[in-house]
Amino acid sequence: MKYSLIIFYLFFCCSMFGQKKLDKLLKQYNDNSIKYISVQELAMPKTDVIILDARESNEYKTSHIKNAIHVGYNNFNIDSIRKQIPNKDSKIVVYCSLGIRSESIGDRLKLAGYNQVSNLYGGIFEWKNHNYPVYNLNDKKTDSIHVFSKEWSIWSKKGIKVYE
């Protein structure tokens, strides 16, 4: 019992340390202009949102959150979004690898008049790190996760890391 408590404590401390490091990284790149939603909240069965993937095509093809609409980052087109999501009151969650590019896309959505936009905290990496499923282009569950680059791959703790 004593050893179980020690192991639980160490696990808890390590996960809190990782969370603080991620907080620091996101504060370095983001200005919190788009509110965060946690992976746990997004995974709740009654969470009814439109999910937008703000990563590039090769990242999306490798793995994405189920039913996510690929909108990209470099070639993001707000006119395409207006056609796909005409209701500006729609609840939208944007994600990328960690939550940096998705904040930029969220800002563009807000500027276009969408008023219920959230940014997935920690992006698809946190999603996968918490053992939530990701899907490939054939809509099949996959263990692969596109990690964008070697530098960013340190934030992905679960799954098979793909760089191409």
Side-chain angles (χ1 to χ4, degrees), residues 90-141:
S90 298
K91 293 180 182 176
I92 299 171
V93 173
V94 187
Y95 76 89
C96 62
S97 296
L98 284 165
I100 298 168
R101 292 177 285 176
S102 50
E103 184 177 82
S104 296
I105 297 302
D107 286 336
R108 293 179 67 184
L109 289 165
K110 276 179 59 177
L111 282 172
Y114 292 92
N115 54 40
Q116 294 195 61
V117 180
S118 298
N119 184 7
L120 184 61
Y121 180 88
I124 196 168
F125 290 178
E126 270 304 283
W127 182 264
K128 184 70 177 159
N129 289 345
H130 282 81
N131 295 313
Y132 295 119
V134 294
Y135 296 82
N136 64 22
L137 204 52
N138 297 321
D139 209 26
K140 302 287 183 201
K141 282 186 184 179

Side-chain angles (χ1 to χ4, degrees), residues 20-144:
K20 288 182 191 269
K21 286 174 64 178
L22 183 55
D23 281 346
K24 185 177 178 181
L25 176 78
L26 292 175
K27 284 178 185 170
Q28 178 183 346
Y29 288 95
N30 290 354
D31 60 11
N32 293 323
S33 58
I34 304 297
K35 69 178 178 146
Y36 287 114
I37 183 173
S38 71
V39 295
Q40 295 88 347
E41 187 178 354
L42 180 59
M44 292 172 68
K46 294 189 182 205
T47 302
D48 186 25
V49 298
I50 298 168
I51 303 172
L52 302 181
D53 187 315
R55 300 173 304 146
E56 298 306 324
S57 284
N58 59 336
E59 296 171 89
Y60 178 84
K61 288 176 185 176
T62 299
S63 57
H64 56 270
I65 296 173
K66 189 159 186 80
N67 299 321
I69 300 167
H70 178 254
V71 297
Y73 180 75
N74 290 330
N75 297 315
F76 177 78
N77 183 329
I78 194 65
D79 291 329
S80 175
I81 298 299
R82 285 185 182 115
K83 289 176 188 166
Q84 290 182 34
I85 311 171
N87 182 357
K88 302 276 176 104
D89 293 323
S90 298
K91 293 180 182 176
I92 299 171
V93 173
V94 187
Y95 76 89
C96 62
S97 296
L98 284 165
I100 298 168
R101 292 177 285 176
S102 50
E103 184 177 82
S104 296
I105 297 302
D107 286 336
R108 293 179 67 184
L109 289 165
K110 276 179 59 177
L111 282 172
Y114 292 92
N115 54 40
Q116 294 195 61
V117 180
S118 298
N119 184 7
L120 184 61
Y121 180 88
I124 196 168
F125 290 178
E126 270 304 283
W127 182 264
K128 184 70 177 159
N129 289 345
H130 282 81
N131 295 313
Y132 295 119
V134 294
Y135 296 82
N136 64 22
L137 204 52
N138 297 321
D139 209 26
K140 302 287 183 201
K141 282 186 184 179
T142 182
D143 204 32
S144 296

